[in-house]
Amino acid sequence: IEAGTMATEAEAARDRQEQADVLALEHPEAPPVEVHRPWFAPLGDAVTDGTLSAEAATAIRRGLGEVAIGVTEEMLADAVVALIAQCRILNADQAAKAARHCRDSIDAAGIASRADAMRARQYLRASTG
């Protein structure tokens, strides 16, 4: 589902940009419009064109995490492009490991908090009531 969502969002952004380009040709006096494309859109494109499996793309997206203090969309977008090239021949587990390593190199300050969050997700919680 996540890979399909990424592909859909990438396609929607591409369609909006095409529409903006058509409007720019029809109205050359208007300022150009640049449509925001999600940083992970290349993953959706890679799944659509068969470069990556849906599982590998999802693993990369999860491994890179989200934009945070000190981690911009541009940084994550650059990492996605590099990881797509690197992970073409890797399975999903290997792609996840590569993405986590990439995120750690981008966001060394956040390593401890990501490790704490991972440990917190490991435990089974049960409650009565």
Side-chain angles (χ1 to χ4, degrees):
I1 293 174
E2 288 180 54
T5 301
M6 287 187 284
T8 301
E9 289 182 27
E11 185 176 341
R14 191 172 34 256
D15 290 346
R16 287 191 307 270
Q17 186 62 58
E18 288 173 3
Q19 291 170 356
D21 293 344
V22 168
L23 286 174
L25 290 174
E26 293 173 357
H27 304 283
E29 71 284 355
V33 174
E34 187 69 30
V35 173
H36 177 264
R37 191 163 188 232
W39 64 265
F40 52 84
L43 287 172
D45 294 338
V47 169
T48 301
D49 69 19
T51 303
L52 280 179
S53 69
E55 295 82 9
T58 300
I60 291 170
R61 171 75 170 85
R62 288 181 182 171
L64 285 176
E66 297 295 330
V67 174
I69 295 172
V71 180
T72 65
E73 283 197 8
E74 292 79 22
M75 295 166 84
L76 292 175
D78 291 342
V80 161
V81 171
L83 284 166
I84 289 170
Q86 178 185 350
C87 295
R88 294 163 90 118
I89 58 170
L90 301 180
N91 64 37
D93 291 336
Q94 293 167 326
K97 183 176 181 180
R100 286 190 305 271
H101 178 72
C102 187
R103 177 60 187 239
D104 288 346
S105 68
I106 293 171
D107 184 20
I111 292 173
S113 64
R114 286 190 302 280
D116 289 343
M118 188 180 294
R119 272 192 296 281
R121 288 190 304 264
Q122 283 178 307
Y123 297 102
L124 173 67
R125 290 175 182 77
S127 63
T128 58

